Every structure is written in C-alpha cells, then in structure tokens.
Amino acid sequence: MKEIRIGLIGAGYIGRSHAIAYAQAPTVFPLKGKLIREMIAGITPELAQVHAKELGFLRSTGDWRELVADPNIDVVDICTPNFLHKEMALEAIKHGKHIYCEKPLALNSQDAKEMMVAATNAGVKTLVGFNYMKNPTAKLAKEIISKGEIGEVVHFYGTHNEDYMADPLSPIHWHCFKDRAGLGALGDLAAHIINMAQYLVADIMTVCGDLETVVKARPEKSGSPVLVPVENEDQAHAIVRFDTGAMGVIETSRIACGRKMGLSYIVTGTKGTLSFTQERMAELKLYRHDEPANRQGFKTILLGPEHPDYAPFCNGAGHGIGFNDQKTVEVRDLIDGIAQDQAIWPDFTEGWKVSRILDAIVRSHDQKRWVNVSEIN
Amino acid sequence: MKEIRIGLIGAGYIGRSHAIAYAQAPTVFPLKGKLIREMIAGITPELAQVHAKELGFLRSTGDWRELVADPNIDVVDICTPNFLHKEMALEAIKHGKHIYCEKPLALNSQDAKEMMVAATNAGVKTLVGFNYMKNPTAKLAKEIISKGEIGEVVHFYGTHNEDYMADPLSPIHWHCFKDRAGLGALGDLAAHIINMAQYLVADIMTVCGDLETVVKARPEKSGSPVLVPVENEDQAHAIVRFDTGAMGVIETSRIACGRKMGLSYIVTGTKGTLSFTQERMAELKLYRHDEPANRQGFKTILLGPEHPDYAPFCNGAGHGIGFNDQKTVEVRDLIDGIAQDQAIWPDFTEGWKVSRILDAIVRSHDQKRWVNVSEIN
Amino acid sequence: MKEIRIGLIGAGYIGRSHAIAYAQAPTVFPLKGKLIREMIAGITPELAQVHAKELGFLRSTGDWRELVADPNIDVVDICTPNFLHKEMALEAIKHGKHIYCEKPLALNSQDAKEMMVAATNAGVKTLVGFNYMKNPTAKLAKEIISKGEIGEVVHFYGTHNEDYMADPLSPIHWHCFKDRAGLGALGDLAAHIINMAQYLVADIMTVCGDLETVVKARPEKSGSPVLVPVENEDQAHAIVRFDTGAMGVIETSRIACGRKMGLSYIVTGTKGTLSFTQERMAELKLYRHDEPANRQGFKTILLGPEHPDYAPFCNGAGHGIGFNDQKTVEVRDLIDGIAQDQAIWPDFTEGWKVSRILDAIVRSHDQKRWVNVSEIN
Amino acid sequence: MKEIRIGLIGAGYIGRSHAIAYAQAPTVFPLKGKLIREMIAGITPELAQVHAKELGFLRSTGDWRELVADPNIDVVDICTPNFLHKEMALEAIKHGKHIYCEKPLALNSQDAKEMMVAATNAGVKTLVGFNYMKNPTAKLAKEIISKGEIGEVVHFYGTHNEDYMADPLSPIHWHCFKDRAGLGALGDLAAHIINMAQYLVADIMTVCGDLETVVKARPEKSGSPVLVPVENEDQAHAIVRFDTGAMGVIETSRIACGRKMGLSYIVTGTKGTLSFTQERMAELKLYRHDEPANRQGFKTILLGPEHPDYAPFCNGAGHGIGFNDQKTVEVRDLIDGIAQDQAIWPDFTEGWKVSRILDAIVRSHDQKRWVNVSEIN
C-alpha cells in the first residue's frame, strides 16, 4: 500500500485535531494508503519537537520551508493563522506537494484564486478543512435532499454563531486583525456554513449583506487597560440567492452569547424540511409533508450504522460521534483521494468559491447593494 | 362599572378566538369594565344569528353598517378579510367607536395611515390584534431585556413561518389575491414578528428584502384542474437595522413545511441571549454570559405565577397557557384601556408602522436595494 | 336546551380553573346543555360573594349545605380540600345532585368506595377532575395505542413530579396532614398519572412501592422557627403490573426540584413508543419501529385541528392549548354527559380504583411486599 | 517511559472501539506510559491476523491462551462474549497480567467474586469497561453533586434502554442464552446504569425488581421459521434504596422501541436536579432551586474545555465528543493507573458489586420480595 506522509505546519488548536484524526483514521477506516505522521513544523525547533512527540509525528522542524521542501513529505497540512496559508501553500505546491489547508483558504478571494490556479496547474490534490460537511449527518442530509425526500429546496437558513469573543474584555488576538485574519466572523465561521450551503443546496450567486464590529477595541492583553482597535466584523448576515433560485439567509457571529458551536441549518423544500444544529451533531430532524395531517411532525433521526460513514466508528446506533470524528472522515477522504488519484472535495476551487462569496458580502455591505458573486475576482 | 359593548364583525377563524377570549376574560381577569358581547355582524342575517348563538352574543345582523352605527356598541371588533378593514374601521370611527382590528391593519401602509389619522382625529382607542406580544413569555422577554439582563441587544433573528399553503394542490383563497389580502406571507404572518421585533428591540429603520411566490398558481377549488395565479409572495425575508443600530433578520413563509406556528425569535445581547418559539409558547430560554464558564448554558424557563399575566390563568407554574389565553390578555388590555381611558398598545400607529415596514420590504425587493422605512408614506 | 346549573364549593386554586372552564366552555363547544354558573359556596358569605362576582356566578352562600340542598342546583362541583370531599359528596348525592369532584376522590379507598356506592345507588352522574387525560394529546395517545400503531404495550413509565414543596422552609399546609389530605404526593399528584396509566394501558393489578417523607417537619408559617411534623410522603414510587401483563413504573414527588408540571409518560409497545410531558402539553412524540432503519426516530407531533378536541379551540395547528383548556374539555364531558344521560369518565368508580392503587402502594411500602390491588377494600 | 503492551482478545463490536481508543489515546492525552498495541487473539489465526492489520496491532494469534501467556503482554483486554470472561481473566491473572475486561464482568456474581479475589491476590490492576462514567458529562455531574450544588440526593432515576432486539423477527444470538450471556438486558445494559448510579450517588443496598421476556422465542437465523427459546429477560426494572437512604429506580430494556442509546439519569437533590441522556452525550441539564422563582429553569450545559477531560479532545466548547472518546478516557485511566501504580476504577470489585445487584434484582423477581444486596454472595 502506498505510503502517504504528512507534514503538519502548526500544532495549535486545529492542528491538534488533525493529529488526533491522523491517529485514529487508520484504525477506523480501511484507508487506501498508508498514512504516516512524518513531520511537524513549529515556530521554534523546540516547540515543534515537543508537539511531534505529543502528537506522534516522527520528525520536526522549526522552519516550515524545510518541511515543504522535504522529499519525504507527500501532503502539506497547513494549520497556521490565515495570513500564512497562501505563502505556505504556494511554496508547497512548487514542491509538488498535495495540500490540506484549513479554512478560510486565504485572506481574500484573490489570494484564494492564486492558490487554486497554482494547485490546478501543478496537478496536486487539495482539500480545505471545512470539516462540518464531513459530519455523517451532513451526508445524510445531502442524501435526503438528493433523493427528493423534501422536494425542491426553496429556502435555506444557515448560521455559524459562536460566543468566543462575546466578552468585550476578552483580549485582542490575531483573529481581529485584517493583515493576519482577513475577515472576522465571516472568515473564521461563516466560511463553514457557506460551504455547507453550497454542499446541500447549490452555488450561491447573489448576496446582500450587512456586518458590524460590535466591540470596537479590546484589551492588549488580559486585564490590560490599553485597548487595541478590532479591525474586522464581530457579526454579519446576508440574504442570498442560489443558482437554483432558492432563497437563503446566512448568519454569523463570534459574539453570539450562548452559542458554543452554532453551526446550524434549516433546509426547506417543497415537500419537507431538514433541521440541524452542530451542538447536537449526531441528530438530524426530518419533516415530510406527505404524511397524514394528524401524524405529521419533525422526526429526530439519531446517527447509526445505517447512515453514511458512521459504522466504522461504532456499530451501535445513537452512540454518538465527536468533533474529531468528522475530522477523521476528512482525513479518510484526503488519504483515499490521493491513494486512488481521485477528486477530493471541498478542494481549493471550493475554497475560492467560498472566499468569493465572503468578499461579495463585504462589498455588498460597503456599497449597500446586492452583489453578484461573479463580480468578485 | 362601565359597560363596554362589543360588536364583532366576522366570526370565522380568528373571530372565534376573539369570542372565546371575550367569554373567559371577565373570569380570568378583574376587568375594569363590564364586557358585554353585544352583537355579531355576518355575511347573512342567518349566519350571523347562528354565530351569535354559538359564541354567546346577544344580537346579530347581516349588515356590518348596522353594527357600526348601533348606539349600543362601544367597540367594533373587525375580524374580516384584510381588504375590508379600512372601510369598516373608517365607518366605525365616524360613529365614534373604539376599534379592535385584526392584523394586518390594511392592504398597504397608505390605507393604514388613513385609518390611523382618522382614529387619532376622532380620539377613539385602537388596538391591533398582534396578540403574540400578549403572550406572557413576550412580556417576560421584554422585562429581561429592559432590566439589562442580556446587555444591549446587538442582533435579532425573528421568523413567522407556517406551512398552511405548503401543498401546491391546496386551493387558491382570498389570502392569495392582492385586492383582498394585499401581501401574502408578509401581511398574514410577518406582521406579527415585525411587531414583536419592535416590541422587544426598537423601531426598524432600514430594510433590504427578498420575496418569492413559489407556487405560481393553485387549483380554483380542491381537486380542480383549473389553476388560478397566486398574486402575492409565499415566502420573504429581509435584513434590517433597528433604530438602536442593532442588526436583524426577519423571515416569513406560508409554505415552510413542518412549521405549524413558527413565530420564533433569538435576541442576542452583549451579555446574554433569549430564545423562543411559539410552538412552545410557555417556555423562554435565557442564557447569561456572566455565569462561570463551566456552568453556562441556556436555561429553559417555564411560565409560572411569578411571571407577568400568568397567575390569573393558573397558580401552578408550568401548567401552560394556550393561544386563546394570549388573546384573552389582549382583550383585557382592550377593556381596561377603554374603561380607564388609557393608552392601548399596539394601536393603529403601530399597525401603520408595521405596514410601512412591510411595504418597505416589498419596495426593497422590487428595486433591489436597501430602503429606509421613512421613504414609505 | 336543558339547563344545567352548577354549584361550586371552593373557589381557590382549582376552583378558579373550574370557573374559567365554565366561562369559556359554551363558546368553545356546542354544549348539549345550557350551562349556568348558579352558585358558589365559600368559607364565609362575604368571601363567597366576592368569588361569585369575580367568577361570574349568580348567587353565593357561606354554607355549602345550603348549596347542596338548593333545588336550583343540578351539579355540585367540589373543589375543597380532600377531607371534605366525602361528606359533601354524600350530602349532595342525598339531594340527587350530579357530582363533579376534584381528585383525589377521598382520603382513602374505603371512603372513595362509600362515595361510589352512594352515587351508583342514587343514579347520579359523577366525574372526578383528573383533567390531564382530557388534554387532547392524551386522547391522541389513546387513539394511537388503540389503533395498534405501537403494537402491544409492554412497558409504561409514568411520573407526576412537581417541586412545590422542594424548599424545606416552605411552611406546612393542609396537604401535609393525614386528616386533611390523606396521602401526600401520592394523593395530590400520583392520582393523576395512575388515572392516565389506566386510561392509556389497562387496570393496574399489583404494585410494589416505596415512599419517603424527606422533609420531616416544616415551619408553622413562613419564617417561623416552630416546626410542625409532616405527616405524609414527599416522594414515592412503585413498580406495577397491569391487567394485560405489561410492566410499569409510577413515580411521584412534590419535592422534585425543577419539575413544575412533571406529569409525563413513556408508553413502550412492541412496534413503537409514545413519549409525553405535560410541560409541553401540546406535543406528543411518536416512534414507529417499522420505518426504514435509516429513517427511524421520534416524531414530534404538535396538536392541530386534525386531532381530537382541538379544533373547537383553534383552527390553526400548533397554536397551543393551556391548562384551563383541558379543564374545559372536562366540563364539556360533564355537561354533555348529563344533558344526554350518557356515561361520563373518569367517574367515581375510576376515582375509587385510583384510590385503591394508592392505598395498595402505601400498604406495599408498610409491609415491604408486593400487594394485589384487590386486597384493598 | 514505561511500555505498556496490550493484548486484545476479541475484535468484534466493542473490541473495535477499544482499538480506536488505543489508537487515539496517546495523541489525545499525555499518557504516563507508552501504549503499544501488541497482539490480538481471534477465533482463528487468519481472522486475528486480519484484525491485527486493520486495527494496528503488531502481532496476532488464533489462541487466546498464547496471548495471556505471552511475556510481552502487560494488559489483557477481554472483549469476548460474557461466558468467556472468567476463564480468560483467571488465566491471565495467573500470568500476572493486568486485566481490562468488558462488562458484565461475569455470568453471575459468584464468578465475578472469584475473579475479583484472584486479581486482588495477584495484585494486578483491573478495569471493567463500564465506559459511560468516563464520559466527561458524568465527571461533571459527579463534580456538581460532590460540591453540593444540588444538595443531598433524594432520588435517582436511571435507565439503560435500547431497541436492538425490538423486532421479534430479529434472530436469536448469544445474548439470549444463559450459558453464554448470563442475564439479558440486565447484564448487557443495566450493568452500565447501575455502575453510574453507584458512581453518582452511593452503593445500592436493597432492591425489588421485576423482569420479563417479552419475545419468548426467536428465529434460529434471519428468515428461518425455526424458533429458538429466549432464555433471559428483554426488560427489567427495580426500585432500590441506596446506602444513603436515597430512593432509586432502575430500568432496562433491549426492546424499548426508539431508544438507540437510552442510558439516562435524573438525579434529584434537595436543592437541585441533574438530567442527562447519553443520546445527547455532551449535554448536562442542571436545575438550581435557589435561583429566583421567576428565573428558575433547567440549564443545558454543553461540554467545553472548562469541564473535566474535555480539553484534550478539543479546545472549543460545544464541539462535541463521541462514543470512542469516552472509551479513550477509559484507556487513559488504564494506562496511567498501571504506569503510576495507582488505583483504577471501576475495577473488579465494582464489577462484582454491580453483578451482585443484578443478581439481587433477579432473586427479588423470582421470590417476589425485596432483597438485600448483601444476601448475594
């Protein structure tokens, strides 16, 4: 079986999750390639070494350029802050590496496009870590929609709301700066629900959005009286139209008190409705209008082995899957796609599409008008 | 105690609910006036007589003009299709009657304004049957917001979705025609959630909306092959800004499969969040961000005698109230307002404000742009 | 139409609810008799007069014996503390009155039996105010079970838990004394869920129970340092067997922190399951095992006009009903039963059966053994 | 770091879960020992080899005796059908191995006791795979109870209901035979909730139970007309008393239609209540009675990094954990306990205690009386 050697850049929050997924994926799934946790690149050689040991990687380096140039690396996995994605990806592509990159793909759609074009030209595989559509419930939702069980989709309501910056005294960090994060809640969170919308419904064609930075400045550090301006939006929303004509609403916030993992969607069709929230990630609610009027209602389906991608985790229905499990499905798709030389999705093209939509929402807000996504580069 | 004699025009769906509220209000509440179910006007004298008997009214007539002119009527209660509201209200005002009118107040904001002006000039009391903000949970939500328990409101998400026309074979009726209903889902349903938004947050100042008639034509009657065009929207949504700067989303649909009484709201503040759905009308969910991080969560508050307007119905917490009970609170406000010559709310001014917002959403859609509500007459 | 004149004894908590039901029943339902709120008896003539005025009754008296002897009373409605039920009912029966009595029917099953026998011999109609099985959801549950939609019932789990005495500093009151209340949580609360169990499943034949007075003594009055012993149980539970062989669990508590109206049941059958809690009184959850494995789940059915006894309240599905509405259904059954000389249920026979089961649970606890309900008189 | 080499016997349903936990544990947690997946024993050498490869074990054997005797094995992990636990464990103990054994520990409490005594005498570590109390929510519940946040526990209601044998045509398997499974639902499922009850409340001292085999016989194989008698119970329940005097109810079923992972508990205290169901494994509901009456309610706490054992999986609150994650916590406890020579829990002593309670329930049913757990050997 072909060896697929992973080089991970950045072992913070989401990097850890990748590492856990790498650890369990070969046991959960009959992967088509032999996954090897080869190397971690960190800010310093010392930190990288610590992380490599903790997370089960063979080697480490304090220089990501060394990692992307290493001939024994097949996949470069980019888990660094947003502003570093482009440079790292382009460099890795130059070395012919496949890329697994966290979202948002880049600081803006132009950068994302450049990355997409480079990857396409180089013929490398790409995967963007949107992960929520790797949750088996999303695949179940997609199956229900594709089979026509809720008829034609006429409305989509989707959110990705969290409250990690709800406290105005929570200190500034890189997510708040344009040069490091690009967008705020839109980039960090809405990217997910937009990807989900495109997965479940269709491409988004036009948008009209609004955004706001509610907390204008934040302490330099915890407890500091020095306030630093926040440069991007805390919350945003948009009304949209899909390619199919379906109407949609997208909401996002990083200050939505009480929402810890508020990625949610309601997909309304002509014959039924699906409702989901990631806070109950193993449940999907399904309503069918063709049932007798006195027996209609939303049915709560718990994930089980009859659903896509669940059985490898557990043969018991309702036993539940977790965040890292959906990341594990993502890793399976990465490894199998590379091993079998097949398309992987969501790739850089989808990453760019999502970026365009995000930029369209911002332009729409700036210019107070509806924007065609195709206006954006 | 002053007698307050009700003349009810129209004893269909919502008229029945008014009648039930009239029946129980004097027993539930210590009303400030003596409520008398005086007269019903119906389409024919015979039907009116039947309804008067059924619903406990003393007299009946087949001619609403007789009712509004009757010297023994103090309040004219208008429960007829939308297109009749204006003529009836103006005529009743001419006779110095107080008016209790169902929503939407009129076919459009111009008509609503005319009604508001006439009522103001005549010095009669008015009340529009928005009823959902009479639900004790709404008063509890208002109290929580007013006391600052969730900080300053930064976002409002509100829906009024139902599925009563989800079936495309469900036949055409007056709600589908512009000359009889005015708007579609916006007028019939969104009027409620817009009123609620204004009650809980602030006046809505600007809107950008979108709408669609999903089912373009419907059978003339049940089973008929003859299709009649539907003239107004099945679904609509808008992004809005409140007077306070808070952002909002309003959604409405009459084809939202599975939503039977989908008036819902999520009010996000800087310190907490409220979440409600009318399908669980006696529950309010409250989240406070100032609780310790390991004990945070949405708390489900069940209505009880400690909450506003609940104890008169029942002294046991969690015992539950129903749709007609909130209508009974509305009737209490009507009778007490008239008996004590005090302001009643939501009055025709609010009815007009809601109409303006609805018209602004439509104009926004037609012109594909943000509209200031003040642009509308 | 035959006049049916009500004489209400006791206008406290539950008496008010009866009065509200009397007020709205004739408007909600096409009653078969003409309901007249004739007379209230209270502790003093003055209080009775106040209550009569508040609750819309024509006359009042400070002497219940006057009420039960009054030739213009058809139904004596007993809403007094438990220890008064028997004397009042027997006296009323002596005068040939129909009886509408609150639960528990009596202090013990012997008294209940005496009342049942007297009523039967006199040929008067009786109705015990178990009310929760008048909730349309209960009728829907019954219909689903009767039609075999969940197969044969194999297990019943039922609770009636509340927390009205959870605070150990909440002062003593008549519910805590054997001579005034009889049992504690069993009599006040479990009576309801036992009646429901018998309604939905079958007669309970054998029981094995346990009980406990958690708060042994309570303040004489609010804030008083003087503690008075509590004479009956705060919580109890029992395992039971129904006539059909089905197994059951009954739980009750008046100190179940957080349960405000915790009457709930889960009825498990060989083909499906029903789940309900009165805190969401207009919802019934239904699971059918014969659905495809990948589409199985509990479906939340919201009450609507297609369900029994809902449409008279409202023609819109999901609009919700309240506590007094189920009491209104009860009043409808009372009036129609009398007017049409038909059986009413749950009558004194059912009241006695419930009392026997309660007494059997107590004996089971006292003697630490299974008890056949038939052992109890 | 000390190497701890695992020998896994049985790689079916639950064995796979162990393997996944072994795979991810070293990445998730900073384990105190070096976990090595050394050997798998299967029914045949071929099958064992396949499983070893799939699940990342170094070696394999078709003879479990070889595994338990292997000097390079430190821990014998027994994931075989119940009837094999005792022989395997005793043999492994003889070779001085630590034992990680699935529940129920043995076919009956006598066997369990023998295993406990052997392990104690040999001084080996033991761990029984009750796993649900390794779910971080259970640790959170325990913390809340221990800190007195809900006062003293007065009532426990616990279930472990599933529906994996609800279909009467689902064929017979080893779980249905006394010589292979011992008990039915009690052994397979109730063992979990009894362990949880003991973890959260106290030791169970007396029980009175009832049980039933609803489906008396099942097809020999799928579709076969030959029916084979089922030898143990499909459902059971018991009322119990804890060491503290608290009352409890235990329910279990393998035919509870609709319950896919119905391990649930409600712990009622004098000051508050906890409510949990494993179907929403990352949520705990907490009610505190000392909050103001108009703000009381059950609060839904989503697991987050502030809670025990969650952060190693994910730094984002509400992101969710799955079934294998709780198994991973269990493996962490195993490895750390051995590496640091510290007590592990739940050990064979707890496994025996649970077995005694199960046997007491059966004896109680057989003899139709309350049974002291201490009566059982």
Side-chain angles (χ1 to χ4, degrees), chain B residues 56-375:
Chain B
F57 280 71
L58 302 172
R59 297 185 286 150
S60 62
T61 170
D63 178 7
W64 66 265
R65 290 174 188 280
E66 190 185 316
L67 184 148
V68 301
D70 191 292
N72 277 324
I73 296 289
D74 299 297
V75 177
V76 172
D77 179 358
I78 303 172
C79 290
T80 53
N82 309 348
F83 73 101
L84 295 167
H85 292 183
K86 181 181 164 188
E87 184 182 8
M88 290 173 172
L90 292 180
E91 190 71 17
I93 290 167
K94 213 179 288 173
H95 287 92
K97 309 303 189 194
H98 304 295
I99 315 283
Y100 177 19
C101 184
E102 268 303 315
K103 42 50 59 185
L105 187 49
L107 295 184
N108 55 61
S109 70
Q110 265 185 309
D111 285 0
K113 191 174 190 180
E114 208 176 316
M115 293 161 76
M116 171 185 74
V117 169
T120 306
N121 290 344
V124 301
K125 305 273 179 210
T126 57
L127 173 63
V128 183
F130 286 120
N131 68 72
Y132 296 101
M133 40 74 60
K134 300 299 181 186
N135 181 345
T137 48
K139 205 165 276 188
L140 173 58
K142 178 76 175 169
E143 175 192 307
I144 288 170
I145 295 168
S146 300
K147 288 188 174 167
E149 297 179 37
I150 60 165
E152 285 171 47
V153 174
V154 296
H155 197 273
F156 178 87
Y157 169 67
T159 71
H160 194 146
N161 294 328
E162 299 195 7
D163 69 359
Y164 62 84
M165 299 194 72
D167 183 352
L169 297 182
S170 148
I172 200 91
H173 64 69
W174 69 262
H175 272 117
C176 304
F177 298 118
K178 285 202 169 171
D179 61 355
R180 271 163 278 179
L183 298 172
L186 281 168
D188 193 36
L189 304 177
H192 286 298
I193 189 62
I194 287 171
N195 168 249
M196 184 69 82
Q198 304 227 129
Y199 175 60
L200 295 179
V201 185
D203 278 353
I204 291 173
M205 304 307 277
T206 56
V207 305
C208 185
D210 195 9
L211 35 118
E212 181 145 346
T213 308
V214 171
V215 183
K216 311 290 189 204
R218 292 179 176 275
E220 199 179 13
K221 13 183 133 173
S222 190
S224 162
V226 180
L227 295 184
V228 180
V230 173
E231 296 177 1
N232 50 28
E233 75 288 350
D234 286 326
Q235 62 179 13
H237 54 214
I239 50 177
V240 310
R241 283 276 180 162
F242 291 88
D243 197 17
T244 57
M247 292 165 67
V249 174
I250 300 290
E251 271 187 27
T252 194
S253 175
R254 62 190 180 193
I255 57 162
C257 287
R259 288 278 78 95
K260 303 305 176 186
M261 187 3 88
L263 180 136
S264 72
Y265 51 81
I266 299 171
V267 188
T268 307
T270 50
K271 293 181 181 169
T273 297
L274 289 172
S275 175
F276 170 80
T277 171
Q278 184 74 15
E279 288 181 351
R280 288 174 174 168
M281 66 180 283
E283 290 183 21
L284 185 66
K285 291 188 201 297
L286 168 62
Y287 172 90
R288 302 260 326 238
H289 203 62
D290 54 7
E291 299 196 64
N294 60 355
R295 295 293 182 274
Q296 289 174 342
F298 276 91
K299 193 198 290 178
T300 301
I301 302 172
L302 296 179
L303 282 185
E306 316 280 343
H307 299 127
D309 282 340
Y310 179 90
F313 291 97
C314 183
N315 247 312
H319 282 52
I321 53 164
F323 178 76
N324 294 320
D325 295 335
Q326 68 191 23
K327 219 65 193 168
T328 301
V329 175
E330 190 169 88
V331 160
R332 189 268 323 263
D333 288 351
L334 174 76
I335 299 300
D336 286 4
I338 293 171
Q340 303 183 301
D341 194 15
Q342 287 173 352
I344 311 177
W345 197 85
D347 57 9
F348 276 16
T349 302
E350 171 65 8
W352 165 68
K353 283 183 175 181
V354 170
S355 261
R356 281 211 307 177
I357 294 162
L358 295 173
D359 285 1
I361 291 171
V362 175
R363 184 177 296 179
S364 161
H365 169 256
D366 290 346
Q367 303 182 355
K368 282 275 188 193
R369 65 170 180 91
W370 281 86
V371 169
N372 284 325
V373 172
S374 62
E375 290 180 33

Side-chain angles (χ1 to χ4, degrees), chain A residues 76-148:
Chain A
V76 172
D77 179 358
I78 304 172
C79 290
T80 53
N82 309 349
F83 73 101
L84 295 167
H85 293 182
K86 181 181 164 189
E87 186 183 6
M88 290 173 172
L90 292 181
E91 191 70 17
I93 290 166
K94 213 178 290 172
H95 287 91
K97 311 302 188 193
H98 304 295
I99 316 282
Y100 176 19
C101 184
E102 269 303 314
K103 41 48 62 183
L105 186 50
L107 295 184
N108 55 60
S109 69
Q110 265 184 310
D111 284 359
K113 191 174 190 180
E114 207 175 318
M115 293 161 76
M116 170 186 72
V117 169
T120 307
N121 290 343
V124 300
K125 306 272 179 208
T126 58
L127 174 64
V128 183
F130 286 121
N131 70 74
Y132 295 101
M133 42 75 61
K134 300 299 179 186
N135 182 344
T137 49
K139 206 164 275 187
L140 174 58
K142 178 74 176 169
E143 174 191 307
I144 288 171
I145 294 168
S146 299
K147 288 188 174 166

Side-chain angles (χ1 to χ4, degrees), chain C residues 256-316:
Chain C
C257 287
R259 289 277 76 96
K260 304 304 176 185
M261 186 3 88
L263 180 136
S264 72
Y265 51 80
I266 299 171
V267 188
T268 308
T270 49
K271 293 182 182 169
T273 296
L274 288 173
S275 175
F276 170 79
T277 172
Q278 184 73 16
E279 289 181 350
R280 289 174 174 168
M281 66 180 284
E283 289 183 21
L284 185 66
K285 292 189 200 295
L286 168 62
Y287 172 90
R288 303 260 327 238
H289 202 62
D290 54 6
E291 299 196 65
N294 60 355
R295 295 293 182 272
Q296 289 174 342
F298 276 90
K299 192 198 292 178
T300 301
I301 301 172
L302 297 178
L303 281 185
E306 316 280 344
H307 299 127
D309 283 340
Y310 178 89
F313 291 98
C314 183
N315 247 313

